[in-house]
Amino acid sequence: MESRSDTGACFCGAVAAEMQGDPFWICFDHDDDCRRAIGSPLTIWVGYRPDQFRFTRGKPRSFSRTKGVVRTFCEKCGTSITYRDEGLSDELYVTIGFFDHPERFKPHAHAYWRLRLPWLEFADDLPRIDTYSRRRDPAFGNPNDR
Ligand SMILES: [Zn+2]
């Protein structure tokens, strides 16, 4: 069987990327940092090992506000692209909005459930986790404690 391959691009098309193989984790994220960074009531992060991901066109800008966390975005159109976190080594997250076929990525859980907007309702039976849904190295602290 051929290995899965997915592609994505920003809104203006200046930045594109290719992802090889299956993501290891797909998660709703209700965290308020990501809400503001992305400009959306919530996002869905698609998690890969860094060597599964490569840019095929253009190069994004990066931004860090939280220790150990680097976000990338298209400098022309502002589309959010990736999230790297030194506390989550060997993990790279891609925003679902960046994908050419976001319908292929069904989430496995809700992260930061306690921070969700109160009028959002979900009928799924996915796990609802009040913190990061991945084990994060405590040496980097909790971004919410800043
Ligand atoms: Zn763009």
Side-chain angles (χ1 to χ4, degrees):
M1 197 177 98
E2 221 170 279
S3 167
R4 172 178 179 165
S5 175
D6 289 281
T7 56
C10 67
F11 190 40
C12 79
V15 180
E18 184 178 72
M19 286 60 66
Q20 293 295 337
D22 292 316
F24 68 86
W25 186 238
I26 305 171
C27 193
F28 283 106
D29 182 7
H30 300 278
D31 164 54
D32 50 2
D33 277 6
C34 292
R35 177 180 305 135
R36 197 179 290 272
I38 287 164
S40 171
L42 76 163
T43 193
I44 295 167
W45 291 111
V46 181
Y48 289 97
R49 300 305 171 196
D51 64 3
Q52 293 178 274
F53 178 95
R54 72 182 184 95
F55 286 107
T56 53
R57 186 169 63 240
K59 197 172 180 299
R61 289 280 299 269
S62 59
F63 175 79
S64 179
R65 172 180 152 159
T66 309
K67 183 184 170 194
V69 172
V70 176
R71 300 170 187 276
T72 65
F73 61 95
C74 172
E75 68 178 341
K76 287 189 180 152
C77 70
T79 298
S80 289
I81 303 172
T82 64
Y83 174 99
R84 289 295 306 270
D85 187 334
E86 290 178 50
L88 302 169
S89 67
D90 205 33
E91 302 184 9
L92 179 150
Y93 291 88
V94 183
T95 54
I96 192 140
F98 181 74
F99 285 93
D100 293 329
H101 291 284
E103 71 280 3
R104 292 181 185 163
F105 301 91
K106 192 168 179 230
H108 303 144
H110 292 270
Y112 279 103
W113 179 251
R114 66 187 164 84
L115 295 178
R116 75 190 182 284
L117 295 177
W119 34 257
L120 279 176
E121 292 179 15
F122 294 85
D124 63 62
D125 57 359
L126 298 173
R128 284 143 161 71
I129 301 160
D130 278 338
T131 60
Y132 270 95
S133 62
R134 305 284 301 167
R135 193 175 142 62
R136 188 168 186 269
D137 183 344
F140 291 92
N142 183 341
N144 288 113
D145 296 336
R146 69 187 173 276

